[in-house]
Amino acid sequence: MEAYAARHHVPIINEQGRRAFLQVIEEAKPHRVLEIGTAIGYSALLMAQHGAEDVQITTLELSEERARLAESFWERSPYKERINLHLGDAGELLQGLPRPEGGFDFVFIDAAKGQYVDYFQKIQPLLAEKAVILADNVLFRGYVLGQEKPPRRFKTIVKRLQQYLQLVQETPGYSTKILVNGDGLAVTYKGLISEAGFGFEKT
Ligand code: SAH
Ligand code: MG
């Protein structure tokens, strides 16, 4: 999968981000995962492997080609019964998605970077009382919280990721830490006690 992703420029969770990603999964040991942005199914497999024993993953992907590839990879793994893919635009799919019993206790946001705010709002009714929301690429090449001005073509993405970080920071009942590994992971806790309302870490 890693070779395919490299050859075809599929942005799967990268080597620097992977260790931090796995630490978050291992710590949360989620039972009901929602993933927004499947790509070729790499992160879904990692979550199936490192989640709770009974983990079930619902994952959303826009590209039919990538969705089929993901399914063919899962087919060859011991986890195919644990993963359920929905094909389509995540913004639309989220509105019709049934809430599993107890709600999702883990959400991995990794699709259109301009839509994270929309995703965060739409997942609210689907969440468990205690949940972790992990968002990938939130530092976007260092431009989101950095001093350097982003090139024109990235301006909107950077602005929207800044809005996402602002939103998770300000929403009551949530606390967030940012892992600066890889392209930046925002770990947002709902209904869990955490020491800092907002902070940075490198694992
Ligand atoms: N989570 C994957 C990588 C996802 S890459 C991993 O780490 O292995 C981002 C994916 O989001 C791409 O495959 C892209 O097709 C998908 N995507 C982009 N916009 C989307 C949308 N509006 N709805 C659903 N998926 C979308
Ligand atoms: Mg990503």
Side-chain angles (χ1 to χ4, degrees), residues 11-14 108-111 113 116 136-137 183:
I12 63 171
I13 192 109
N14 73 15
F108 180 41
I109 302 182
D110 194 21
K113 292 180 240 317
Y116 283 17
D136 193 24
N137 309 102
D183 204 21

Side-chain angles (χ1 to χ4, degrees), residues 1 10-14 21 35-44 47 59-63 66 86 88-91 93 108-113 115 119 136-137:
M1 291 175 92
V10 181
I12 63 171
I13 192 109
N14 73 15
F21 176 77
E35 177 180 64
I36 308 176
T38 318
I40 61 168
Y42 184 78
S43 50
M47 292 190 286
T59 182
L60 318 178
E61 174 56 50
L62 182 63
S63 152
R66 286 186 177 175
H86 296 246
D89 171 61
L93 290 171
F108 180 41
I109 302 182
D110 194 21
K113 292 180 240 317
Q115 300 301 315
Y119 299 153
D136 193 24
N137 309 102

Side-chain angles (χ1 to χ4, degrees), residues 65-199:
E65 192 189 345
R66 286 186 177 175
R68 296 297 154 247
L69 250 157
E71 283 173 330
S72 78
F73 282 121
W74 300 333
E75 202 67 44
R76 286 172 259 164
S77 83
Y79 304 104
K80 79 177 188 95
E81 306 298 336
R82 309 227 152 263
I83 312 172
N84 186 5
L85 187 142
H86 296 246
L87 183 63
D89 171 61
E92 284 171 31
L93 290 171
L94 285 174
Q95 283 171 309
L97 206 65
R99 182 180 192 273
E101 206 182 320
F104 289 106
D105 57 2
F106 196 94
V107 182
F108 180 41
I109 302 182
D110 194 21
K113 292 180 240 317
Q115 300 301 315
Y116 283 17
V117 165
D118 183 53
Y119 299 153
F120 185 79
Q121 285 159 347
K122 285 179 177 159
I123 61 175
Q124 293 308 312
L126 303 173
L127 292 177
E129 220 166 286
K130 289 181 181 179
V132 178
I133 301 154
L134 182 61
D136 193 24
N137 309 102
V138 294
L139 296 180
F140 197 64
R141 308 174 192 203
Y143 292 122
V144 174
L145 297 177
Q147 299 300 314
E148 205 186 324
K149 262 178 78 172
R152 217 196 190 91
R153 67 184 186 286
F154 295 146
K155 259 183 86 176
T156 307
I157 282 184
V158 167
K159 204 165 127 212
R160 292 196 169 178
L161 287 170
Q162 287 164 342
Q163 286 164 350
Y164 177 78
L165 294 182
Q166 181 98 24
L167 176 68
V168 294
Q169 234 179 119
E170 286 175 359
T171 309
Y174 289 83
S175 63
T176 295
K177 69 179 179 195
I178 297 187
L179 304 178
V180 300
N181 307 65
D183 204 21
L185 287 164
V187 195
T188 297
Y189 298 92
K190 178 197 170 198
L192 302 171
I193 298 139
S194 157
E195 288 134 55
F198 195 77

